[in-house]
Amino acid sequence: METWKEFDQNIITHSAAHHLMAVDDLVSKYGYARVSDVARQLNITRGSVSISLKPMKEAGLILQDENRHLRLSDDGQRLVDAIKTKRLLIQRLLSDLLGVDKQQAEIDACKVEHLTSNATARQLVAFFRFIDSQDRVARDFLSTWQEFSHSCEHDPQSCPTCDTKCMADDVQESRA
């Protein structure tokens, strides 16, 4: 399998995900959404929104009534619900478990929420159910992780994680 081609198999783009979520948020808040409302919420032009919504309407994810009000179809709503759930799961994984700054975790979760498969999200739900269970093994795991030294010796030959070069060196903070 050519894994890199899987990126193109996603149902929607990052931008489309935000358009769908904007429609969902507006309908939840006001009971309706218009192109101009979506544009205002996303801070882009109405023309950009209209162009972006066209393929989503054609795909049956967004419906528009005679008053030009937008709403999500059942498929669109399921997609938005899944994306929002994935964002929360990824944010929690990054922030609560790995200790990534909350704002950075939100940014990173936003970048991958629509790319993460439902199968992976289901496993994350199961993992959090385990973590939240207060099972002794879960508590011990969290305690051990929190006490673990996150520093790196930068010696790939003695590191079970790295192969021929130090992965930590490849992801160092930018000093620029």
Side-chain angles (χ1 to χ4, degrees):
M1 174 164 87
E2 296 185 58
T3 304
W4 68 274
K5 290 183 178 180
E6 286 295 309
F7 183 83
D8 292 331
Q9 301 305 313
N10 291 309
I11 296 171
I12 58 170
T13 65
H14 181 83
S15 176
H18 282 275
H19 283 71
L20 289 172
M21 288 189 292
V23 169
D24 184 52
D25 292 344
L26 289 162
V27 169
S28 293
K29 188 173 184 177
Y30 302 112
Y32 65 92
R34 300 169 300 193
V35 168
S36 58
D37 301 320
V38 173
R40 195 173 312 106
Q41 181 157 330
L42 297 177
N43 198 26
I44 58 177
T45 67
R46 286 187 321 225
S48 293
V49 172
S50 292
I51 290 168
S52 296
L53 292 182
K54 187 175 189 243
M56 289 182 270
K57 288 178 188 175
E58 291 169 358
L61 300 173
I62 291 185
L63 306 171
Q64 189 170 24
D65 67 19
E66 63 279 352
N67 295 316
R68 305 183 65 83
H69 291 166
L70 305 168
R71 68 178 175 87
L72 299 176
S73 67
D74 290 343
D75 287 342
Q77 188 65 59
R78 276 190 293 277
L79 185 57
V80 165
D81 291 345
I83 291 168
K84 287 181 175 183
T85 295
K86 291 171 192 176
R87 178 186 289 188
L88 292 172
L89 289 167
I90 295 164
Q91 274 182 258
R92 183 166 178 216
L93 175 70
L94 297 174
S95 180
D96 295 357
L97 292 178
L98 299 182
V100 174
D101 172 77
K102 286 194 180 297
Q103 186 175 7
Q104 188 62 53
E106 183 179 349
I107 290 167
D108 290 345
C110 177
K111 291 177 183 178
V112 299
E113 65 200 5
H114 69 288
L115 300 174
T116 304
S117 71
N118 285 347
T120 296
R122 283 191 301 275
Q123 289 301 104
L124 281 171
V125 169
F127 179 71
F128 284 122
R129 286 183 55 237
F130 166 69
I131 292 298
D132 295 336
S133 72
Q134 295 302 311
D135 180 273
R136 183 187 55 79
V137 174
R139 287 192 318 269
D140 289 350
F141 169 80
L142 285 174
S143 176
T144 302
W145 168 249
Q146 290 163 350
E147 293 169 10
F148 180 77
S149 171
H150 295 227
S151 65
C152 179
E153 299 298 322
H154 304 284
D155 181 13
Q157 282 70 35
S158 65
C159 178
T161 302
C162 300
D163 187 19
T164 59
K165 81 181 218 183
C166 179
M167 289 193 282
D169 287 342
D170 290 341
V171 292
Q172 289 295 320
E173 285 282 330
S174 173
R175 299 192 198 333

